[in-house]
Amino acid sequence: MNSQLPVHHAETSPDVERWRDPRLCPTERADAMLPLMSLEEKIAQLVGVWAGADASGEGVAPYQSEMVDGELRWSDVIRHGLGQLTRPFGTAPVDPVAGARSLAASQAEIAAASRFGIPAQVHEECLTGFAAWRATVYPAPLCWGASFDPELVEQMAGHIGRSLRAAGVHQGLAPVLDVTRDYRWGRTEETIGEDPYLVGTTGAAYVRGLERAGVVATLKHFAGYSASRGGRNLAPVSMGRRELADVILPPFEMALRLGGARSVMNSYAEIDGMPVAADEAMLTRLLRDEWGFTGTVVADYFAVRFLQTLHGVAADAADAARLALRAGIDVELPTVDAFGPPLVEAVRSGEVDEALIDRALRRVLTQKIELGLLDEGWQPLPDGADELCLDDPAGRDVALRLARESVVLLRNDDGLLPLSPHRRVALVGPVADDPMAMLGCYSFPAHVGVRHPEHGLGVELPSLREALGDLLPGLTHSPGCAVTGDDTSGFAAAVAAATEADVCVLAVGDRSGMFGRGTSGEGCDATDLRLPGVQPELVRAVLATGTPVVLVLLAGRPYALGPEVDAAAAVVQAFFPGQRGGQALAEVLTGAVNPSGRLPVSVPRGSGGLPSTYLSPTLGRRSEVSSVDPTPAFPFGHGLSYTTFEWSDAGVRGADDRAGEVSAADATGGGRLDWAVDGEVAVGVAVRNTGTRAGAEIVQLYLHDPVAQTTRPVVRLIGYARVPLEPGEAARVTFLVSADLTSFTGAHGRRVVEPGDVELRLGPSSGEVTAALPLRLVGAEREVGHQRRLVSTARVAPAAVPRSA
C-alpha cells in the first residue's frame, strides 16, 4: 500500500515535464497541465463524489443520495479522474486504521485511472473535531467564543488538522464564520457568537491551526447565511449593504488575511433576491478582485442544483452549472450532479464557455499541487496510518481545557456555588444524564452515529450525572421530563428530589440533531426562545419548592428564561462542551475549576422583540417609543468568577507618547485626547485579583461612536484579553488600537474613518463600563479598504501591587 505509484506519462512533449517539475510554482505547473486535458478530464476535477470507507480496508463505495438522480458506479465516476472525495470517514462508523487503508486503496485506483495520475482531494467535516468514529469530540464553536481564548482554539485546530492529515484527508470544512443574528436559527450552535470581532479573531485562530497542520481550511458560509428571515434555515435574507459589510463580512476578511485560509464555501442564502451561489459580485468581484483571494471556492452541498430546485433562477442542471461557474464556484459538492454530464453537454453545445471550466480547473490543480498530490513521491497511505489514533490523550486534554474555559457563571447569589460536599444535592432535569447533551450536531456521534447505534459512541463521553457523581457521592437524580414532548409524569419525582435536598442542580436545554431530529442544529430552528417541551414548567415546579436552585443550561442557543431566571440562586450556561464537557461542568460546579467563560451571545429575558443582539443602535434598545423591552437578562461578554477583580489606572495615550495621556479621572473633568484618523493609540488598565483563589479576568475593549453619518451600534467590541491571575497578583493590559478599527460603511457606501468624537470603553462585559476614555479623531475623512488594520494588539504585563493591597 505504501509503494510509490507508477508515473503516468500522458504525452512526450516538454509541457508534460513542466507540470511535473517541482522547481516551478504551482500555478505554472497547473498552466502547463491544463491544455493537455480533455474536456471530460477537466470537468472530472471539478466534482466530488460522496463515498464511505469500507470497514474491510479495501476501498470506498459511492453514497447514493436521494438528492441526485441515478445510481453512481465507482468505475464510471473515476474514469476520467476525480476532483474530490467527500467524507470517507464521516459517512458511517469505520475503524480509523481500516478507514485509512480503504481511502488509500481508493486513491490508488483514482490515480491509476487518470492519465496524469492525479489523486482526489479528500475533505471531511471538522467543526468539533475530525467527524470520524473514535475521534476526539471538541467543544462546539459557541464554546470557543465563550472562552475568549484564540490561542487555545488554535491549539485545538492544530490537533484536528494533524489527525486529518494522518488519515489522508486534505481539506476540512470549517470554521463557520457566520455571525449570529437571530438565536432562533438552528445553526446558532455552529457559530462562534454575535460579534464580528470575536468571531473573526477566534475563527482566524482556528484557520491558522488547521492550515499550519497542512490542511486546507474552508470558510463557511460565505456569506449572509445566519441572517435569514425568522431564523429559518435557508430562508431569504433581507439585509442592507451596511449590515453585510460591517457585521457579516469582517470575520471572513480576518480569516483570509490573518489565518491564511485556502478555501471558501458559498452560503445557501439569497440576499435581496440574489442567491450567493450565482452571485458574481460576491464570489468574484469582492472575494477575488477586491480581497485578492486565490484559493478554491467549493459549493455547499447541493447548492449548485438548488439554483434550479429551490431558488428558481436556473432552468435545469446545465443552467445551474453555468450560473455557479460564472459566479465563481470551482467545485461541486458533495457529489457529481450538475457539473457532470449536463455540464459536458452544455460546453460542447456552446451554452457554457470552456474558459469558465479552465478558470476553475486552474485553481483546483494549483491547490492539489500545493498539497503535494502531483509530486512523484506522493503515496496514497500516509506514514503511520497503520497505527492511527484519533482520540489521544493530548487531544482530550485540549478538549477538557477548552470546555473548562467555556463554562459561563451567569449568577451566583449568596455564594451558592461552588457546591459544598457536605450538602445534600439533587440533580434534576432531562439533560442531566444524557451524554449526547454535550455534543453539537456536527459531532460524529450526533451527525452520523445516531443512525448506527450498534457501534456505540466511539469515545468516552460521561454525562453530567456521571461526572458530578464522582465528586459528590451522595448525589440523587431524577430527570423530571424529556427534552421534548408534553409528558409531565416525572415532575412529582423531580419535585420530591429537590424538596429533600439542600441544593438542587436543575439541568435543562437542548438535544442537537439534524433537520427536525433535535431542538438545535441544522434545520432545527425554533419559533421562539422558550425552552423546548415542558422544560419551562419543570423549571417553575422545581423553583416553587423553595430549595436553592442552580440552573444549568446545556444548549445550542441562548434561551429566554423569563421572570423565572430571577428566582434561581445560581445560573450556569454551557454550549455543547464536547466529550469532556461533563467533567468540566462538574469541576466548575464543585469549585475544582474557577469559571472564566464569558457570553459570546446575549441571554434574552423574554422571547419577544426578536431578532436582537447587542450590536444595536440606540433605537434597537429599550426606548419610550416601543412597549417591547429587548434588554437581555445577561449581556454579551458577561461572566462571573469565584474570585474578585479590581480595575484601576485606566488611561489612553498616543502610541508614540507625543500626544499626551488621558486618564479616566481626566475624562470626568472633560479631558479628551486627539487621535489622528490614520494613527494609533494605546489604551491600558490595571487588573488585580483581590480574592483568595486564582482566576482569569476577560478585559474587554469597546468602541462607542456617539455621532456618525450613519447609525452605529451603541458599543462594539474592538479588543479583548484573557488575564490569568493568582490571588493578589496584578497585571497591566495595554491595547494598541489603530483608527482603522473605528471605520464603518458611510453614507456613500464606502468604508471610512470619520473625524469626530469617540469613546473607548473598558469593562468586563458589553453592559458594564469600568472606564470610559474620550478621544477626538482628527484629520480629513479617510477611506479604507481590505488592507486596513483589522485587529488591535493586546499586551499583558505584570504590574506592581499597591502597598495597601
Side-chain angles (χ1 to χ4, degrees):
M1 188 66 68
N2 275 300
S3 60
Q4 184 174 313
L5 290 175
V7 177
H8 293 252
H9 294 278
E11 302 286 350
T12 57
S13 68
D15 276 343
V16 173
E17 298 302 319
R18 283 181 61 79
W19 69 260
R20 294 179 53 236
D21 189 346
R23 296 170 298 178
L24 300 179
C25 74
T27 303
E28 290 175 309
R29 292 174 65 183
D31 284 340
M33 175 181 285
L34 197 148
L36 305 176
M37 301 176 74
S38 69
L39 177 62
E40 287 81 2
E41 287 171 329
K42 290 178 180 180
I43 291 178
Q45 291 298 317
L46 307 185
V47 298
V49 167
W50 199 331
D54 193 282
S56 67
E58 296 180 358
V60 301
Y63 174 65
Q64 306 299 327
S65 171
E66 66 275 10
M67 305 288 287
V68 177
D69 296 331
E71 184 176 342
L72 296 176
R73 295 196 335 179
W74 180 247
S75 58
D76 293 338
V77 164
I78 67 172
R79 182 172 54 185
H80 300 294
L82 183 63
Q84 292 231 4
L85 271 174
T86 293
R87 293 167 59 182
F89 289 88
T91 300
V94 61
D95 176 79
V97 172
R101 290 173 177 166
S102 290
L103 175 57
S106 298
Q107 286 281 50
E109 288 183 279
I110 294 166
S114 163
R115 290 194 303 140
F116 301 93
I118 309 173
Q121 188 164 322
V122 183
H123 76 259
E124 292 282 357
E125 297 285 358
C126 60
L127 189 64
T128 59
F130 187 174
W133 195 49
R134 295 182 178 172
T136 303
V137 183
Y138 295 89
L142 279 176
C143 295
W144 315 351
S147 76
F148 278 75
D149 192 346
E151 290 77 15
L152 186 53
V153 171
E154 184 173 340
Q155 287 184 43
M156 175 194 71
H159 279 275
I160 295 170
R162 288 188 288 276
S163 294
L164 291 166
R165 284 294 287 185
V169 178
H170 313 104
Q171 182 169 0
L173 302 188
V176 171
L177 298 181
D178 298 300
V179 178
T180 302
R181 302 301 287 159
D182 189 328
Y183 312 132
R184 295 172 296 182
W185 190 43
R187 303 191 79 168
T188 294
E189 66 167 66
E190 298 177 52
T191 71
I192 296 168
E194 67 183 44
D195 179 87
Y197 189 90
L198 179 65
V199 173
T201 51
T202 306
Y206 181 98
V207 169
R208 285 193 296 272
L210 211 63
E211 289 282 355
R212 287 172 180 171
V215 173
V216 175
T218 310
L219 309 184
K220 308 192 314 190
H221 306 87
F222 189 73
Y225 190 25
S226 58
S228 57
R229 291 179 195 160
R232 295 178 58 247
N233 195 39
L234 270 69
V237 172
S238 302
M239 177 170 53
R241 59 182 178 178
R242 289 183 181 82
E243 182 179 355
L244 178 67
D246 293 344
V247 177
I248 300 298
L249 294 179
F252 292 94
E253 291 185 89
M254 291 186 193
L256 291 172
R257 274 187 50 202
L258 308 180
R262 287 181 284 172
S263 191
V264 170
M265 176 178 278
N266 76 279
S267 161
Y268 285 131
E270 58 173 83
I271 302 175
D272 193 24
M274 173 58 74
V276 173
D279 191 352
E280 189 175 5
M282 178 83 76
L283 298 181
T284 295
R285 292 200 291 274
L286 174 67
L287 179 62
R288 296 192 183 277
D289 299 344
E290 186 175 333
W291 289 2
F293 177 65
T294 58
T296 57
V297 174
V298 298
D300 203 344
Y301 285 13
F302 308 107
V304 176
R305 177 69 83 156
F306 284 171
L307 293 174
Q308 174 199 359
T309 59
L310 297 184
H311 295 295
V313 297
D316 51 30
D319 196 27
R322 177 185 64 83
L323 290 174
L325 280 166
R326 187 182 66 183
I329 288 178
D330 302 314
V331 180
E332 181 182 32
L333 298 180
T335 201
V336 58
D337 183 25
F339 277 24
L343 181 57
V344 174
E345 294 172 13
V347 174
R348 294 208 186 281
S349 68
E351 296 175 43
V352 175
D353 189 345
E354 191 170 352
L356 292 176
I357 307 295
D358 292 347
R359 183 179 72 171
L361 178 61
R362 182 175 291 105
R363 297 164 184 160
V364 168
L365 292 177
T366 297
Q367 191 162 96
K368 286 192 171 187
I369 292 167
E370 290 173 351
L371 290 166
L373 298 182
L374 273 69
D375 291 348
E376 288 192 57
W378 174 81
Q379 297 176 346
L381 188 68
D383 293 338
D386 285 330
E387 299 177 350
L388 185 62
C389 175
L390 303 179
D391 184 31
D392 60 22
R396 291 194 297 270
D397 177 66
V398 172
L400 177 59
R401 285 190 286 140
L402 185 54
R404 286 168 172 166
E405 289 190 2
S406 72
V407 177
V408 187
L409 178 61
L410 299 179
R411 172 183 293 135
N412 191 22
D413 292 349
D414 302 321
L416 181 61
L417 293 176
L419 296 169
S420 168
H422 306 296
R423 305 188 77 178
R424 295 172 300 168
V425 179
L427 178 61
V428 169
V431 301
D433 198 26
D434 183 2
M436 296 297 288
M438 303 293 163
L439 306 183
C441 75
Y442 269 83
S443 65
F444 186 87
H447 199 79
V448 178
V450 291
R451 300 195 300 272
H452 304 273
E454 70 279 6
H455 284 81
L457 295 174
V459 293
E460 184 180 349
L461 185 61
S463 68
L464 176 58
R465 180 189 182 188
E466 292 174 283
L468 193 58
D470 289 341
L471 301 176
L472 300 174
L475 184 73
T476 61
H477 169 254
S478 179
C481 66
V483 170
T484 57
D486 57 5
D487 184 2
T488 60
S489 61
F491 277 24
V495 166
T499 301
E500 295 169 7
D502 297 322
V503 179
C504 177
V505 177
L506 176 53
V508 294
D510 280 317
R511 184 181 180 95
S512 192
M514 301 284 288
F515 301 108
R517 294 190 293 271
T519 58
S520 174
E522 185 173 1
C524 297
D525 310 316
T527 56
D528 59 42
L529 293 178
R530 291 176 294 182
L531 284 165
V534 294
Q535 291 183 91
E537 288 85 348
L538 177 65
V539 171
R540 287 193 290 270
V542 172
L543 288 171
T545 65
T547 300
V549 171
V550 179
L551 185 61
V552 175
L553 293 114
L554 274 162
R557 62 169 64 85
Y559 279 104
L561 303 175
E564 289 80 14
V565 72
D566 296 325
V571 182
V572 175
Q573 176 76 63
F575 299 103
F576 295 148
Q579 74 180 67
R580 302 299 291 273
Q583 177 183 344
L585 259 174
E587 290 172 336
V588 167
L589 291 172
T590 58
V593 168
N594 193 352
S596 61
R598 300 295 185 266
L599 284 175
V601 287
S602 305
V603 174
R605 179 169 294 276
S607 60
L610 297 172
S612 177
T613 73
Y614 99 102
L615 286 176
S616 297
T618 300
L619 286 175
R621 298 194 169 198
R622 180 180 181 179
S623 72
E624 296 180 357
V625 299
S626 174
S627 59
V628 176
D629 181 1
T631 304
F634 303 101
F636 172 86
H638 172 75
L640 303 177
S641 172
Y642 294 150
T643 191
T644 54
F645 299 97
E646 177 185 82
W647 295 42
S648 62
D649 300 327
V652 58
R653 58 176 173 78
D656 58 4
D657 286 322
R658 291 181 296 181
E661 181 170 358
V662 172
S663 67
D666 295 330
T668 60
R672 189 178 298 272
L673 183 73
D674 283 349
W675 183 6
V677 293
D678 59 353
E680 293 181 330
V681 293
V683 185
V685 67
V687 180
R688 183 165 68 94
N689 184 344
T690 55
T692 58
R693 60 178 298 169
E697 178 68 298
I698 310 298
V699 177
Q700 300 167 45
L701 177 65
Y702 292 88
L703 173 72
H704 171 61
D705 190 348
V707 179
Q709 56 190 265
T710 62
T711 61
R712 306 295 303 133
V714 175
V715 292
R716 63 179 176 91
L717 187 71
I718 60 169
Y720 60 89
R722 170 176 276 269
V723 187
L725 295 169
E726 293 296 318
E729 186 182 10
R732 185 159 189 86
V733 182
T734 303
F735 297 97
L736 191 64
V737 185
S738 167
D740 290 1
L741 290 174
T742 71
S743 67
F744 61 95
T745 302
H748 300 290
R750 298 185 299 273
R751 178 174 288 277
V752 296
V753 177
E754 183 183 33
D757 293 344
V758 295
E759 195 172 79
L760 295 179
R761 296 179 175 179
L762 291 156
S765 78
S766 63
E768 183 178 350
V769 180
T770 301
L773 303 167
L775 301 97
R776 178 173 288 118
L777 285 160
V778 295
E781 180 177 291
R782 175 170 160 259
E783 187 173 336
V784 294
H786 178 60
Q787 296 305 316
R788 69 190 186 281
R789 288 281 297 275
L790 297 171
V791 297
S792 58
T793 302
R795 297 193 301 266
V796 180
V801 179
R803 291 180 181 273
S804 59

